Amino acid sequence: MFFARAERRTLRVAGGLALGVVLVFVGAATAVLLAHAGGGGGAPLFDAYIWRVAQFTLLQATLSTLLSIVLAIPVARALARQRDFWGRVWIIRLSVVPLGLPALVAALGVIEIWGRQGVVNDLLRLAGLQNPVSVYGLTGILIAHVFFNLPLAARFLLAALDRIPPEYWLSSANLGMGNGAVFRLIEWPVIRRVLPGIGGLVFMLCATSFTIVLTLGGGPAATTIEVAIYQALRFDFDPQRAVLLAFLQILVTAALLWLISLFGRPPDEGVTAGRAIRRFDGRRRRVTDGFVILAFTLFTAAPLAATLASGLAADFGRLAVDPLLHRALFTSLAISFASASLSLAIALPIVLVPRLAETGDAGLATRLIGRALPATGSLILLVPPVVVATGWFLVLRLFGETGRFAPAVITVINALMALPFVVRVLEPAYRTHLSRTARLALSLGVTGMHRLRWIDWPALKKPFLTAFAFAMALSLGDLGAVAIFGADGFVTLPWLLFSRMASYRTADAAGIALILGVICLLLTLPSTAADRTTERPAIDA
């Protein structure tokens, strides 16, 4: 027994409300999509355009995943072997930075490095080549996706390699194993077990990518399903096509989640006596590993440095008095704060009610809600935010200008978008906390607000703040839902940044990108210093 009677009653009500809010909000969007799909007048579901969009979505996701994984393996192996060089901890922390960086800010950094006037092309022109790299189209999408997902994949692989028992390395040194034998007999079996989860996660992130493709796609030939939904609504105003694409996106997402679910959590690597890890094979590979680590660091740090340099060169005096920037900053902060608060409010019943349903005296309603809530928390993974925004756009346009409703709808969408991560952070923390304190608190009669103030909050303050900060950062950097509802009277920092980039006001765009990036990094970096908070929600690598 973890809760007093009054607490159980409150949790049941909160669980029912959370379940109702998520199901009604997502269900209403899905229902209106179904209604529009039913009125299509016999329009073909898979015409040539939709086939082309679906094929490009899967192609770029496949290539992005392969590049990220293939490059991440030598990076993770090099970092695992070279454990004592100065700066290693900062390079590992650098790999966390893209996780907290808005995609639009990272895209601007990629353009600064790989664009027509970027550093790479400047160096290639000095070598006698004329603009050999184009950052727009498939090439740019792949570069940006690898920038985001190579550090993520390397981080997961490094964590897996670090879990190999130290005794294995001692035995390999005693047996005189070479690099090939070490990889084949020790490292590859571990890597092989985690690759399906990592690959599935990266593939899903790339297949549902919106901002990167919208910014770097460069035209109809490089369009993914989510971008095609946006174009169908905002440019062509073809709701029927948007609905068909939305259901295609749901189908692709569902297939990906099903494939990922086939691979359970990898088993433990082996029993260890708890010795410190010593890699005896690192001394033979210092030069090669150093080159790999340097290349990884430059690839990851260069867009960040370019964004910082171009942002500092912006005219902040003019930006500081720009009323549109003031409105965008206020709107973004207000929406992100509200969405983070709502995400926490929905996440708490999702975390606690299943624990309540485990007790022997739980009623049928409590058990049903307790079983439904965990799946509800990950519903946004099945129905992506752009698809939900499309449904609500079609609903609200019946009541007039959709821009009037944009703040409220985007707040809820962003809250649901952050929900899987918030649950992932809070659930293990609450489970451990309740197992340690719940029975003692009940025996002492400490319940309600007294229990929250004196027992729960001191122990759970850090995971709460971590979840809240990441939820705010995700909302601040979101462009998907905002792009669907974007209007003259409603503007956020990402939408303003995208508008300035589209109108070739690059200096202003760089300054706004720096402001947005710094805010998001300030929110996420303190919490991502620990390894356990860098994992993506709902999918175990």
Side-chain angles (χ1 to χ4, degrees):
M1 183 69 67
F2 295 115
F3 306 100
R5 181 175 299 176
E7 292 173 329
R8 295 200 298 271
R9 186 166 55 248
T10 302
L11 283 176
R12 280 194 294 268
V13 173
L17 288 175
L19 184 63
V21 167
V22 176
L23 291 181
V24 168
F25 191 82
V26 178
T30 307
V32 76
L33 292 175
L34 284 170
H36 279 77
L45 176 60
F46 293 110
D47 58 15
Y49 171 77
I50 293 180
W51 269 117
R52 187 169 66 249
V53 168
Q55 289 171 357
F56 181 81
T57 300
L58 298 178
L59 172 65
Q60 62 85 20
T62 301
L63 293 177
S64 298
T65 302
L66 289 175
L67 286 172
S68 299
I69 296 296
V70 168
L71 295 175
I73 290 176
V75 171
R77 294 185 67 210
L79 287 171
R81 275 193 296 255
Q82 308 301 328
R83 308 188 61 83
D84 299 323
F85 71 91
W86 183 88
R88 181 179 185 268
V89 64
W90 293 106
I91 292 175
I92 294 175
R93 288 181 179 178
L94 174 67
S95 68
V96 180
V97 173
L99 300 180
L101 199 66
L104 198 55
V105 177
L108 189 63
V110 169
I111 293 173
E112 292 284 345
I113 297 298
W114 298 88
R116 181 176 295 274
Q117 303 299 324
V119 176
V120 172
N121 277 327
D122 287 343
L123 294 175
L124 292 175
R125 276 193 291 269
L126 289 176
L129 301 175
Q130 293 299 318
N131 296 331
V133 177
S134 174
V135 77
Y136 295 102
L138 180 60
T139 302
I141 292 171
L142 295 179
I143 292 172
H145 281 165
V146 173
F147 168 76
F148 272 107
N149 296 307
L150 168 60
L152 175 67
R155 184 88 167 181
F156 279 131
L157 289 172
L158 177 61
L161 292 174
D162 282 347
R163 290 195 295 267
I164 295 176
E167 291 80 6
Y168 285 26
W169 307 120
L170 182 61
S171 298
S172 68
N174 291 334
L175 294 172
M177 285 186 182
N179 181 63
V182 167
F183 176 73
R184 187 175 67 256
L185 300 176
I186 299 178
E187 292 177 323
W188 176 244
V190 174
I191 293 173
R192 185 180 58 200
R193 285 196 291 266
V194 299
L195 270 186
I198 299 173
L201 171 58
V202 172
F203 190 93
M204 191 179 75
L205 293 174
C206 296
T208 58
S209 176
F210 175 79
T211 304
I212 292 296
V213 181
L214 181 65
T215 308
L216 300 176
T223 300
T224 57
I225 298 173
E226 292 203 359
V227 174
I229 294 171
Y230 163 74
Q231 292 171 342
L233 285 179
R234 301 300 299 181
F235 294 105
D236 305 329
F237 197 71
D238 187 351
Q240 177 65 22
R241 172 147 289 181
V243 169
L244 297 178
L245 288 164
F247 277 109
L248 181 59
Q249 181 67 38
I250 293 175
L251 181 64
V252 170
T253 307
L256 291 174
L257 291 174
W258 176 74
L259 288 174
I260 293 172
S261 69
L262 297 180
F263 302 96
R265 294 182 63 92
D268 293 336
E269 280 70 27
V271 179
T272 176
R275 298 173 178 171
I277 297 176
R278 291 186 62 193
R279 292 291 298 265
F280 300 95
D281 56 337
R283 285 169 287 187
R284 302 193 302 267
R285 305 281 301 178
R286 281 179 181 172
V287 175
T288 305
D289 288 346
F291 175 79
V292 170
I293 293 171
L294 177 62
F296 168 73
T297 304
L298 289 176
F299 179 79
T300 306
L304 304 176
T307 302
L308 177 62
S310 59
L312 292 175
D315 187 355
F316 282 101
R318 185 163 53 83
L319 287 175
V321 296
D322 185 351
L324 190 59
L325 177 61
H326 298 165
R327 189 162 76 244
L329 178 60
F330 175 79
T331 301
S332 291
L333 291 176
I335 287 178
S336 63
F337 185 87
S339 66
S341 301
L342 179 60
S343 189
L344 282 174
I346 297 175
L348 278 176
I350 292 176
V351 171
L352 293 177
V353 173
R355 306 290 291 174
L356 181 64
E358 294 172 0
T359 59
D361 59 344
L364 177 61
T366 303
R367 291 197 298 271
L368 291 176
I369 294 174
R371 291 173 182 172
L373 278 173
T376 304
S378 299
L379 188 60
I380 199 64
L381 297 175
L382 177 62
V383 188
V386 169
V387 175
V388 177
T390 301
W392 277 98
F393 179 87
L394 296 174
V395 171
L396 297 176
R397 74 187 181 96
L398 302 175
F399 299 93
E401 174 57 47
T402 57
R404 290 185 300 159
F405 307 98
V409 174
I410 292 173
T411 295
V412 181
I413 291 175
N414 287 349
L416 297 182
M417 178 179 65
L419 189 58
F421 171 81
V422 173
V423 171
R424 180 68 179 270
V425 172
L426 293 183
E427 197 277 332
Y430 248 113
R431 183 175 62 246
T432 302
H433 175 69
L434 289 175
S435 66
R436 292 175 178 174
T437 65
R439 289 181 176 83
L440 180 59
L442 278 178
S443 66
L444 296 175
V446 182
T447 61
M449 293 302 298
H450 293 290
R451 172 172 165 173
L452 176 63
R453 179 181 179 184
W454 298 111
I455 299 177
D456 294 343
W457 179 247
L460 298 171
K461 177 170 61 176
K462 184 175 180 178
F464 260 91
L465 294 179
T466 296
F468 188 85
F470 254 94
M472 277 196 69
L474 287 173
S475 178
L476 275 170
D478 175 62
L479 182 64
V482 176
I484 299 295
F485 284 92
D488 292 336
F490 175 75
V491 60
T492 63
L493 280 178
W495 183 248
L496 180 62
L497 171 57
F498 179 73
S499 301
R500 296 290 166 88
M501 290 175 65
S503 59
Y504 299 102
R505 298 171 64 178
T506 55
D508 286 355
I512 297 170
L514 181 60
I515 294 171
L516 179 59
V518 167
I519 294 174
C520 290
L521 289 178
L522 287 176
L523 286 170
T524 58
L525 275 182
S527 57
T528 55
D531 289 347
R532 63 183 178 85
T533 62
T534 61
E535 295 183 342
R536 288 295 178 102
I539 297 184
D540 293 309

